[in-house]
Every structure is written in C-alpha cells, then in structure tokens.
C-alpha cells in the first residue's frame, strides 16, 4: 500500500490574451493582484492568433497573449476555484456576451504544466466545481515535452522558454518554502 504524502505547492500561472492585450491587462491587473497576490513575472507579448482564429469573432483580430506568474504558491486543489474566479472576471467585462479577454489559469510544478478548462475531453480529469485539469506539458530530461493533445501555442519553443523562466522562479520559491 502506498503512503499518502504531502502535496507540493505549485506556481499559479495565467495566460491572458486579447486583441488589445496590454489595455485589458492594465484594466484588470489590480483585481488579479487583489485575488491572487503579487505578479512576479510577465512574459513578453506572445503571438496567439497564428495558432487559432477561434477567438477573432469574439475579441477581434490580432489576438496576442502574456503569461503571468504569481508570487504566492498555491495548493493544486485551488485550481477549480481560481478558474471559476477568472471566468467571472471575463464575464463582468464582456459586451453582449462577447469577452474582451480570456484568462486561462494553470500551474507549474517542477514536473508539469497544468491548465484548467471547463471543457471535458478524454485526457482531462474532472477536479470539481465544473472544472477539468489537463497536463499540457511534462518536464523531463531538462526540457518541456508536449503531447499530441497539447495546444499548438504551448508546443512552440517561444512559449516553452517563457514557461521555463517561470519554472526556475518556482524552483527558487519552492526551495525557500521547503526550508
């Protein structure tokens, strides 16, 4: 019989994207900080539209994104609540049902990058409160490895480099926490 162990705390990450990403992030950043704590990393602006046109009708053309890392570590069980909170923020700013921005929360653990979603798919695990979790990337042999089902943007080296920067920040925070 396996022994139940304490679960590692993880690094909260959000992918914030919009056709006016800098404007909308500036509009909601204080609320994100109030709910989730200080932001300790913002990526450069990342192209998102080249991977999908799915959001163009809702948000407009030129969709770009920014990866955000939060200073405070979280317990993985909090992901469902966090996803529901970010959905509520998106809806508050929506116009006639169309979101101005999308916030995709997830977390980095030293071995994986996990995203939350409301959409069921065979490789996703239900974590409660209407939310599923997907291991989007695995960290193995010193690099991020994607899966067949990984979203196209997270298969790109540009995104993996940004996630590696966040992972290194997480490892430092984790080291301090474990002391």
């Amino acid at each position: 019989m396996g022994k139940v162990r304490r679960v590692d705390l993880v690094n909260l990450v959000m992918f914030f994207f919009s056709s006016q990403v800098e404007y909308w992030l500036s509009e909601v950043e204080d609320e994100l900080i109030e709910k989730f704590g200080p932001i300790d990393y913002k990526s450069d602006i990342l192209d998102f539209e080249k991977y999908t046109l799915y959001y163009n009708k809702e948000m407009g053309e030129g969709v770009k994104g920014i990866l955000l890392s939060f200073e405070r570590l979280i317990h993985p069980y909090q992901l469902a609540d966090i996803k529901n909170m970010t959905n509520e923020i998106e809806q508050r700013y929506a116009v006639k049902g169309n979101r101005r921005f999308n916030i995709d929360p997830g977390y980095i653990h030293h071995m994986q990058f996990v995203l939350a979603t409301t959409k069921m798919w065979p490789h996703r695990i239900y974590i409660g409160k209407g939310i599923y979790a997907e291991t989007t990337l695995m960290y193995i042999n010193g690099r991020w490895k994607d899966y067949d089902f990984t979203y196209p943007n997270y298969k790109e080296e540009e995104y993996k480099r940004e996630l590696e920067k966040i992972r290194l920040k997480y490892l430092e925070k984790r080291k301090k926490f474990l002391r």
Side-chain angles (χ1 to χ4, degrees):
M1 173 172 67
K3 183 179 177 185
V4 175
R5 299 179 187 158
R6 189 178 79 193
V7 174
D8 287 340
L9 295 180
V10 294
N11 199 117
L12 177 60
V13 175
M14 293 181 188
F15 185 55
F16 188 99
F17 61 94
S18 172
S19 63
Q20 299 170 331
V21 68
E22 291 174 293
Y23 171 78
W24 285 113
L25 181 56
S26 72
E27 286 294 304
V28 299
E29 187 170 354
D30 287 343
E31 184 174 357
L32 294 175
I33 291 168
E34 181 183 315
K35 289 185 183 308
F36 309 113
I39 295 170
D40 63 2
Y41 183 77
K42 289 182 193 176
S43 74
D44 291 333
I45 294 176
L46 301 165
D47 193 355
F48 186 64
E49 189 175 79
K50 73 179 178 181
Y51 305 107
T52 181
L53 300 176
Y54 177 83
Y55 297 94
N56 286 31
K57 186 176 179 185
E58 184 176 25
M59 295 180 192
E61 293 182 9
V63 177
K64 306 250 187 240
I66 297 174
L67 280 161
L68 306 171
S69 166
F70 291 81
E71 183 179 295
R72 190 169 54 219
L73 298 180
I74 63 165
H75 192 286
Y77 79 78
Q78 294 174 275
L79 190 57
D81 286 331
I82 291 168
K83 177 63 174 170
N84 281 314
M85 285 189 268
T86 59
N87 283 352
E88 193 275 326
I89 295 168
E90 291 172 9
Q91 287 308 308
R92 248 188 304 113
Y93 287 86
V95 176
K96 296 182 182 176
N98 289 325
R99 294 171 297 170
R100 304 290 104 206
F101 55 84
N102 189 313
I103 309 169
D104 282 342
Y107 63 76
I108 286 184
H109 179 266
H110 63 90
M111 296 185 289
Q112 60 190 187
F113 173 52
V114 175
L115 285 173
T117 182
T118 57
K119 299 170 201 84
M120 197 291 195
W121 206 244
H123 64 282
R124 295 175 177 161
I125 305 297
Y126 185 72
I127 59 172
K129 302 180 181 183
I131 305 300
Y132 298 83
E134 168 184 296
T135 303
T136 302
L137 297 169
M138 166 178 38
Y139 199 84
I140 189 164
N141 297 326
R143 66 181 189 87
W144 290 111
K145 181 187 180 315
D146 49 75
Y147 301 94
D148 291 343
F149 54 76
T150 299
Y151 291 110
N153 56 315
Y154 291 114
K155 290 184 176 195
E156 292 289 328
E157 288 306 312
E158 179 181 33
Y159 279 74
K160 289 177 181 177
R161 276 192 304 273
E162 293 296 339
L163 291 170
E164 178 61 16
K165 292 173 188 175
I166 296 170
R167 182 180 176 274
L168 292 172
K169 286 183 121 358
Y170 164 67
L171 291 175
E172 287 302 314
K173 290 184 261 187
R174 183 175 184 263
K175 198 182 300 181
K176 289 177 186 173
F177 179 79
L178 292 175
R179 283 187 207 154

